[in-house]
Amino acid sequence: MGSGLLQAVGDNVQFVLVCAVVIAAIILVSHFVEVKVLKDNIASVGKVKYITICGMLGALAMILHVFDFPLVFLAPEFYKLDLSEIPVMIGAFTLGPVGGVVIELVKILLKLVVKGTSTAFVGDLANFVVGCSFIVPASIIYHLKKTKKTAKLALFAGTVCITVFGTVFNALYLLPAFASLYGMPLDTIIGMGAAINPGISGVWSFALLAVAPLNLIKGVLISVPTMLLYKRISRVLLNVAQGDTGRRRSQPQA
């Protein structure tokens, strides 16, 4: 499995470099927002415990990611849903947007080690970037004012972002990239979508009629459990960080 993963990386160097640039850009933007906008709203928990929390939640997210599932009545089977963004979102609500991005990245890296890639890394990049399109805006909004009402608004905004961004990103980049790297003609992919929904006739109709509903459902599947679980799980995470020096985090209100 390890040699196959290395071979896949070697065969897709350009795409891997694109992945690295995208990941770095998302982290830098999130860090800029934390420093310039959120400032003291992001509590310091210390490097060791920050890494510990990211590692624990990333591992949990990876487990949930492995158990993904298709919705074959909406999109071809290689489009799958998973619940891995739930621990990522909880971590982002606890640590801030950078923490959420780090947890999302840990999830993807662990998944590649455990399961490898079946989509020439396109699906893995998609899962990371589209996941961040929910996690980053939602966590930024929540950390502006940590209340239950703001948490609901944040999750709603995240659902809108993941639906809109996921649709556009698939149409402009992911579908063509998947067709190229996986060696499958784009018309074949469109045809697979048309077999499910006759309204699909091109890349944009595929994205609007297949990808958008999937991302909308994913946004709801992230939001509802996060609202139900965050307050309880955050207490455990805060206890992990309780001994740190630096700014103390106030009790979460969401």
Side-chain angles (χ1 to χ4, degrees):
M1 181 179 64
S3 60
L5 179 61
L6 291 176
Q7 181 63 41
V9 172
D11 292 341
N12 300 282
V13 173
Q14 183 177 359
F15 183 75
V16 172
L17 290 175
V18 171
C19 294
V21 171
V22 170
I23 291 168
I26 293 174
I27 293 175
L28 288 173
V29 170
S30 300
H31 177 70
F32 177 83
V33 173
E34 282 195 5
V35 172
K36 298 297 183 180
V37 179
L38 301 178
K39 298 180 181 179
D40 291 340
N41 289 359
I42 303 294
S44 174
V45 298
K47 288 185 179 180
V48 172
K49 300 207 173 160
Y50 190 97
I51 293 171
T52 300
I53 294 173
C54 288
M56 289 190 303
L57 292 177
L60 177 58
M62 181 274 294
I63 294 171
L64 294 174
H65 185 26
V66 169
F67 294 101
D68 52 12
F69 53 92
L71 293 182
V72 293
F73 59 90
L74 281 179
E77 190 174 0
F78 55 82
Y79 274 92
K80 296 183 179 181
L81 287 179
D82 61 77
L83 303 178
S84 63
E85 259 70 50
I86 297 172
V88 181
M89 191 68 254
I90 291 173
F93 270 7
T94 304
L95 299 175
V98 174
V101 174
V102 171
I103 295 168
E104 185 78 20
L105 181 59
V106 170
K107 176 194 80 174
I108 295 297
L109 294 176
L110 289 176
K111 181 264 178 184
L112 288 173
V113 171
V114 171
K115 194 176 180 181
T117 181
S118 59
T119 58
F121 294 101
V122 178
D124 306 296
L125 174 67
N127 191 277
F128 174 82
V129 176
V130 175
C132 286
S133 74
F134 185 104
I135 300 301
V136 173
S139 61
I140 289 172
I141 292 172
Y142 174 70
H143 281 281
L144 290 173
K145 187 178 181 181
K146 300 177 190 176
T147 66
K148 189 172 184 178
K149 182 178 180 180
T150 306
K152 291 179 179 179
L153 175 63
L155 293 169
F156 174 78
T159 300
V160 173
C161 288
I162 194 176
T163 302
V164 174
F165 177 82
T167 301
V168 175
F169 191 46
N170 268 267
L172 293 181
Y173 184 73
L174 287 178
L175 281 168
F178 180 79
S180 174
L181 293 172
Y182 204 65
M184 180 183 293
L186 187 56
D187 288 342
T188 300
I189 299 175
I190 302 303
M192 295 170 67
I196 299 171
N197 187 335
I200 295 175
S201 59
V203 173
W204 279 101
S205 57
F206 186 104
L208 289 169
L209 298 177
V211 178
L214 282 174
N215 285 325
L216 180 61
I217 292 171
K218 184 168 185 173
V220 174
L221 291 178
I222 299 169
S223 300
V224 174
T226 298
M227 284 300 302
L228 295 174
L229 298 174
Y230 168 61
K231 190 171 183 179
R232 297 176 182 177
I233 295 177
S234 65
R235 292 195 184 103
V236 177
L237 297 176
L238 291 172
N239 286 336
V240 170
Q242 190 174 5
D244 287 333
T245 58
R247 298 190 300 276
R248 291 293 189 266
R249 185 186 307 276
S250 58
Q251 185 68 19
Q253 299 300 312

